[in-house]
Amino acid sequence: MRAIEIQATYAAAALAELKQWLAINTTHDDPLLAGLLKSAHALCQRFTGIFPLQTTITETVPASSQWRDLSARPVMMMRAVVAVNVYGVPRVLDPGDFAIEQASGDAMRFRLLRACTEPRIELKYDAGLASDWSQLDDGLRHGIVRYAADQYRQRDRAADDRPPAAVSALWRPWREMRL
C-alpha cells in the first residue's frame, strides 16, 4: 500500500509559466491555476509511471526476506525504514537489517536481511526526477503546463482525462512500457 505523505510543490515559476502560456496578468485565477497544475502533474505521473517532482511517499509492505519492488520511481532518497507491530507501534530498523538496491531501469527494491517479529514494514522515501520545477526536464515541464492550460480553456466542456496529442508527445519519451 502506498500513501503520499508530502505532495510535490510548485514554485511561483510554475504558476508564472502557466499564466504566461495563457496570457493572464491578474491573480484572480491563481488558486484555480494552481489546482490545474497539481492535476496535470498527477496525470503526467500516471501517464509516464514516474514522479516528475519530488514527492514523499510511505509504502507499507509485509515483513519478508523476499525482494519487493518499490511502487514509486525514481527513488531519490530513503528517509526511514520502520517495522510496525500488530498494535501499530513502530521500531526503526538498523541499516544492517535490510537491503535496498536498484532493480530494472530506475526502480528500486527492498528486502529484510534479518527476520523481525513485526508483520509489516513502512518505507518512507522521496521519489521524483527533480527536486523543484526549474530542474524538471523541459518536455515534462512543458507538457504539464500545456495540459493545465488545455484544462483551463476547456473548463466548461465535458472532462476528458486523456492528455491532448501534443502533451502525450512531450511525455511519451519518459513513458515506460511494461509487459
Side-chain angles (χ1 to χ4, degrees), residues 61-69 99 109-113 121:
V61 298
S64 171
S65 62
Q66 300 294 317
W67 285 109
R68 300 187 70 79
D69 289 339
R109 59 188 194 164
F110 165 87
R111 76 179 179 118
L112 289 175
L113 296 174
I121 305 296

Side-chain angles (χ1 to χ4, degrees), residues 19-174:
K19 288 172 74 170
Q20 181 181 15
W21 183 260
L22 291 168
I24 295 175
N25 297 321
T26 66
T27 60
H28 177 70
D29 286 333
D30 283 4
L32 171 65
L33 295 173
L36 291 172
L37 281 169
K38 183 178 177 181
S39 174
H41 178 265
L43 181 66
C44 179
Q45 186 269 317
R46 287 192 309 273
F47 184 89
T48 61
I50 59 174
F51 281 81
L53 291 172
Q54 184 173 357
T55 303
T56 302
I57 296 163
T58 297
E59 189 166 340
T60 305
V61 298
S64 171
S65 62
Q66 300 294 317
W67 285 109
R68 300 187 70 79
D69 289 339
L70 300 181
S71 64
R73 60 184 190 84
V75 174
M76 299 172 89
M77 170 180 67
M78 186 61 66
R79 292 182 174 267
V81 178
V82 178
V84 181
N85 71 16
V86 294
Y87 302 107
V89 177
R91 176 178 62 90
V92 177
L93 294 178
D94 293 324
D97 293 339
F98 60 89
I100 298 171
E101 70 178 26
Q102 187 167 356
S104 62
D106 57 2
M108 299 294 282
R109 59 188 194 164
F110 165 87
R111 76 179 179 118
L112 289 175
L113 296 174
R114 295 187 182 109
C116 70
T117 58
E118 293 86 355
R120 66 183 195 269
I121 305 296
E122 286 184 357
L123 305 151
K124 187 172 190 172
Y125 60 95
D126 289 349
L129 286 173
S131 58
D132 66 40
W133 183 257
S134 65
Q135 296 174 343
L136 189 59
D137 173 78
D138 290 341
L140 291 172
R141 192 177 75 240
H142 191 63
I144 290 170
V145 167
R146 285 190 69 159
Y147 183 71
D150 182 70
Q151 292 300 295
Y152 180 81
R153 290 183 185 127
Q154 306 296 329
R155 65 189 177 277
D156 295 330
R157 296 191 184 140
D160 185 4
D161 287 340
R162 293 175 300 173
V167 173
S168 296
L170 290 166
W171 291 345
R172 194 167 288 117
W174 293 93

